[in-house]
Amino acid sequence: MALIVQKYGGTSVGSIDRIRKVAKRVMDKRNAGHQLVVVLSAMGKTTDELVKLAKEISPHPDERDLDMLVSTGEQVSIALLSMALQREGCRAVALTGWQAGILTDCCHGDARIRHFENNRICGHLQEGKVVIVAGFQGVDEHGEITTLGRGGSDTSAVALAASLGAERCEIYTDVTGVFTADPRLVPTAQKLSAISYQDMLDLAQLGAGVLHPRSVETARKRHVRLVVRSSFSDEEGTYVGADVPAQAESVARGIAHQEQISILWVKGREIHRRTPMLTGNLREAGVMANAVLHGTDLLSFPVATEQHKKAAAFLQEQQESLGFDEMEAEHGFAMVSLVGVSRHASSKVPKTIKRKMKALQVPIRWFHQSERKVSIALPAEQVKTAVRALHRELGLDAGEKLAVK
């Protein structure tokens, strides 16, 4: 008998009918002799609706009050699943984050899990119950409800699996696994049977929405075996782990894309000497930034447009210590990234990308290459054209042979 942690996203529990189907899937696993801890997101768009309500009251709601409000979404879904299981004769108990012993730091809206007090969960498991835990939330040292940020239920599930020593963590979503590109954008994308922690982390950080980056970081650090699969079918999913062999002849693992990107340009004499400090400070402030140097006095990096003002304000506060003279911003871009670039193709891929974009008359405004990754920023309205064309050009379409010239 194995201990398994399952996580179901908002789409998977978006209606009463879907919750009943989740209950059946849970019972099938339980009847096979396994112990189950089930982590749930809020139903459908509940969290968005709660945030909208808050902003109708106040454009800048108090962060503590906002966490108090949005944490109720998961409480609805866990209670309903517990009811559904018990109606079918399966013993179950629903626990909020604080009841489950999920202890976090004090950062409302983007808290990080510090540790777990598992006694209550373990006690219920020993009694033969399915334990249903509210994802996305915890409690800080002062007893205040905190939330883990968007995608936080993934992190809740992986961290619980690590803490409990689960055999694996199964992430159920609305797609059948991890694909070489977003299958809603690229119908010819291929599902991967397995992917390494590092490639999955790169895809997640660069826009692939199937897993939250923090959950992958936790899985890699704590050696949690992940499986990503659909809650709407019995199709085999994608295994995420450390023991994934490198691809033999493939150019890359996949393509990720992000919309609503802004590019910040920072100019200052010998700015290149301060690049590590600048990008490091931005990351500490919660803004992910990959910087590109243009000579010695010009630096550029893309940020999510929603983080543009935060990044700009932070840089202005640090202007004297960072030693730059001017800062400008451009908006209306998307970023397309090729992830898991193999060594044999690393020198050829950038040329292929540039040649293809030139042929399609898609201007590249920003370009960055690092180990196993290549990213470009281009006009937002051309992201679909670019992703589909590169996916085909690099041989990632289903049934295609990889051929980089």
Side-chain angles (χ1 to χ4, degrees):
M1 179 170 65
L3 171 59
I4 298 171
V5 174
Q6 295 184 335
K7 179 263 176 176
Y8 293 88
T11 305
S12 302
V13 293
S15 68
I16 295 299
D17 181 60
R18 289 183 177 180
I19 288 174
R20 286 179 175 140
K21 289 178 179 176
V22 167
K24 183 181 183 306
R25 189 180 290 273
V26 171
M27 287 184 64
D28 287 345
K29 193 77 71 173
R30 182 69 185 87
N31 291 338
H34 300 295
Q35 291 182 308
L36 269 293
V37 175
V38 182
V39 177
L40 298 187
S41 297
M43 296 174 68
K45 299 293 184 180
T46 298
T47 303
D48 290 335
E49 293 168 1
L50 291 171
V51 171
K52 183 179 178 182
L53 284 175
K55 293 195 172 180
E56 287 180 10
I57 294 291
S58 169
H60 304 290
D62 179 80
E63 291 180 340
R64 176 189 179 277
D65 291 340
L66 188 60
D67 273 0
M68 178 78 73
L69 176 66
V70 298
S71 66
T72 62
E74 283 72 23
Q75 293 180 47
V76 173
S77 57
I78 63 171
L80 291 173
L81 179 60
S82 180
M83 294 173 191
L85 287 168
Q86 292 186 63
R87 182 178 180 181
E88 298 301 320
C90 178
R91 298 181 69 198
V93 59
L95 302 176
T96 63
W98 69 266
Q99 289 174 321
I102 301 176
L103 306 179
T104 75
D105 61 22
C106 303
C107 183
H108 286 291
D110 193 29
R112 289 182 178 267
I113 297 173
R114 284 184 169 171
H115 65 277
F116 288 88
E117 292 180 354
N118 290 328
N119 293 342
R120 192 167 185 177
I121 291 178
C122 292
H124 287 305
L125 289 172
Q126 289 171 3
E127 293 171 358
K129 297 176 184 176
V130 172
V131 181
I132 309 163
V133 178
F136 174 65
Q137 62 183 252
V139 62
D140 68 15
E141 61 183 321
H142 305 294
E144 301 287 358
I145 293 173
T146 57
T147 62
L148 309 181
R150 286 309 176 101
S153 293
D154 287 349
T155 306
S156 300
V158 174
L160 268 171
S163 178
L164 294 167
E167 180 188 82
R168 64 183 179 274
C169 180
E170 300 174 345
I171 305 291
Y172 287 87
T173 182
D174 57 352
V175 293
T176 55
V178 181
F179 284 74
T180 51
D182 186 339
R184 290 164 289 200
L185 190 71
V186 184
T188 53
Q190 303 180 64
K191 187 179 75 175
L192 301 170
S193 59
I195 187 171
S196 69
Y197 288 131
Q198 186 59 58
D199 286 343
M200 186 67 251
L201 180 58
D202 289 339
L203 283 171
Q205 289 177 333
L206 292 168
V210 67
L211 281 174
H212 191 274
R214 199 177 291 176
S215 71
V216 185
E217 288 178 337
T218 302
R220 180 175 64 174
K221 182 179 179 180
R222 301 291 298 276
H223 309 290
V224 176
R225 298 172 68 245
L226 294 179
V227 179
V228 180
R229 59 188 306 179
S230 172
S231 59
F232 305 119
S233 77
D234 294 323
E235 187 175 334
E236 290 294 324
T238 300
Y239 168 75
V240 183
D243 52 343
V244 177
Q247 59 268 42
E249 299 180 356
S250 45
V251 170
R253 280 298 189 192
I255 297 177
H257 73 281
Q258 294 171 282
E259 300 185 53
Q260 298 183 340
I261 291 292
S262 298
I263 302 175
L264 287 174
W265 299 85
V266 178
K267 187 175 183 179
R269 193 167 53 181
E270 296 190 340
I271 191 68
H272 66 287
R273 297 182 184 275
R274 299 175 179 85
T275 300
M277 180 192 299
L278 186 150
T279 55
N281 288 354
L282 279 172
R283 288 192 180 97
E284 287 181 8
V287 178
M288 293 301 298
N290 289 316
V292 170
L293 275 169
H294 309 268
T296 61
D297 63 352
L298 184 62
L299 181 72
S300 65
F301 53 90
V303 297
T305 298
E306 64 179 12
Q307 291 189 315
H308 155 250
K309 291 183 179 179
K310 179 180 181 180
F314 179 82
L315 289 175
Q316 286 173 347
E317 290 175 2
Q318 302 288 320
Q319 182 172 359
E320 184 175 346
S321 61
L322 293 172
F324 66 88
D325 302 318
E326 302 175 31
M327 179 175 60
E328 295 182 4
E330 293 183 276
H331 309 290
F333 296 97
M335 190 161 69
V336 176
S337 302
L338 196 64
V339 168
V341 177
S342 59
R343 289 184 178 180
H344 78 270
S346 60
S347 62
K348 301 175 182 178
V349 165
K351 297 176 183 177
T352 302
I353 292 173
K354 291 176 180 179
R355 186 182 67 249
K356 189 62 180 179
M357 293 301 97
K358 183 177 181 180
L360 293 171
Q361 297 184 328
V362 175
I364 296 176
R365 186 67 180 111
W366 182 88
F367 181 95
H368 182 254
Q369 181 176 12
S370 59
E371 186 178 3
R372 294 176 58 79
K373 292 180 288 185
V374 180
S375 297
I376 59 173
L378 43 80
E381 64 272 13
Q382 293 176 296
V383 64
K384 181 185 292 187
T385 298
V387 172
R388 288 182 174 179
L390 288 175
H391 197 272
R392 182 171 55 253
E393 183 76 9
L394 296 168
L396 293 172
D397 279 1
E400 292 289 326
K401 292 290 185 181
L402 301 170
V404 175
K405 301 174 184 177

